[in-house]
Amino acid sequence: MSTVSTTADAAPKQAGVTTSPLPRRALDWRLRFGALSLVWGFSFLLIKVGTHGYAPFQVTFGRLLFGTVVLAAAMAVKRERLPRGARIWAHLTVAAFLLNALPFSLFAYSELTIPSTLAGICNATSPLWGMALSLVALSEDRPTRVRVAGLGLGFLGVLTVLGAWQGFSGLDARGTAMALLASLSYPIGWIYVRRTLAGTGASHLSLTGAQLLLATLQLAAITSLFTSVPAHFPLLPLLAIAALGTLGTGLALLVQYGLVAEVGPTTAQMVTYFIPVIAAAAGVAILGESLTWSTPVGAVIVLAGAGLTQVRPRENR
């Protein structure tokens, strides 16, 4: 579940931002990779539980607030400062909306009417949207037969998940559309960040900390306008929101950037392919959500297509 992300969460997409090499980690990167997959996979379950006690905007606000606290603590430990310059903050405001405030809110609203399993699978379409947009917006992304085939295969998988041959019967169109729009918002934000914030010299931690802070302020304003203060605070949904923010947003970003620095973005991005599997398993085992055969089959097709879109042409030597 990319948040810069994010992801998908979403993978670190602030391309071009310089980071200093990190010291060797005591914990093997494979264990951290597995932990990140679990945390982001369970995020959709936590969103669902959070909406059982709080409004979607409140879930998103709490998530961002807890995540910002984690990153602020990390910045304090590393003695990093927030980025400077009105231009950078203006671009970060847009990035915060596209990469955090908007998709997090859309996922929270979508899970009012669709299962967490479907939301997790919709999140896996983000690489497909990203590939389609990058062919238009990024001149260095050349279309190849393999990548175009992956794009077509991926969207065929989406139609399979949604049961297109049955006329999408039993599907909540509004909730599903929100989840797909959330997944589309990530690559739009990634492309924007790549065009506007690359080469600023600021660290990933500094930029992401500022980005989450701005997203939190955005949701604070929106939440105060469209919701009222809860009369009571149900404990289990509150704990779910706290876990979603501290683990699924704040700590997950720190782990993700460590993985990128150690094993590179390509390997780190592979976490995207485990998220829907874990989200589906968690939804079925813990929340008792049901699955038809088309959901796991379609998810496999989506992931296969997404994998093909990431295949880069070999450079001539």
Side-chain angles (χ1 to χ4, degrees), residues 31-279:
L31 295 177
R32 285 180 278 127
F33 182 95
L36 185 60
S37 302
L38 284 172
V39 167
W40 273 342
F42 270 86
S43 292
F44 296 95
L45 178 149
L46 295 174
I47 293 171
K48 174 71 79 173
V49 174
T51 58
H52 288 168
Y54 300 93
F57 279 141
Q58 293 169 343
V59 172
T60 303
F61 171 66
R63 172 184 188 174
L64 288 168
L65 180 61
F66 282 109
T68 300
V69 169
V70 172
L71 288 184
M75 290 179 64
V77 170
K78 293 180 177 291
R79 297 183 179 180
E80 290 206 26
R81 296 180 177 180
L82 291 171
R84 297 179 179 180
R87 173 184 167 276
I88 292 179
W89 279 91
H91 289 314
L92 283 173
T93 300
V94 178
F97 177 75
L98 292 173
L99 290 171
N100 303 116
L102 178 60
F104 289 2
S105 298
L106 286 172
F107 273 125
Y109 266 101
S110 74
E111 291 199 41
L112 291 178
T113 55
I114 67 172
S116 65
T117 54
L118 179 56
I121 292 170
C122 287
N123 180 75
T125 65
S126 191
L128 303 177
W129 297 118
M131 187 267 182
L133 290 171
S134 67
L135 293 179
V136 177
L138 300 175
S139 58
E140 65 267 28
D141 265 342
R142 302 192 303 271
T144 64
R145 292 180 180 179
V146 171
R147 300 184 75 195
V148 172
L151 186 63
L153 183 64
F155 284 112
L156 176 63
V158 173
L159 294 177
T160 303
V161 170
L162 302 183
W165 67 93
Q166 297 175 334
F168 307 103
S169 62
L171 182 73
D172 183 82
R174 184 178 180 181
T176 304
M178 285 184 176
L180 290 173
L181 284 174
S183 301
L184 173 60
S185 180
Y186 287 130
I188 293 175
W190 300 331
I191 291 173
Y192 179 84
V193 165
R194 187 170 177 178
R195 286 182 172 274
T196 60
L197 290 172
T200 62
S203 71
H204 276 307
L205 180 58
S206 175
L207 288 175
T208 306
Q211 180 180 306
L212 282 188
L213 173 62
L214 288 167
T216 303
L217 295 176
Q218 291 171 1
L219 258 296
I222 293 172
T223 303
S224 65
L225 289 174
F226 294 99
T227 67
S228 57
V229 178
H232 61 285
F233 295 86
L235 181 59
L236 183 59
L238 183 59
L239 291 176
I241 295 171
L244 182 64
T246 55
L247 300 177
T249 302
L251 185 61
L253 286 177
L254 297 177
V255 172
Q256 183 191 39
Y257 289 139
L259 285 174
V260 171
E262 185 171 343
V263 300
T266 300
T267 300
Q269 283 180 359
M270 292 298 292
V271 71
T272 302
Y273 306 115
F274 292 88
I275 292 174
V277 177
I278 296 170

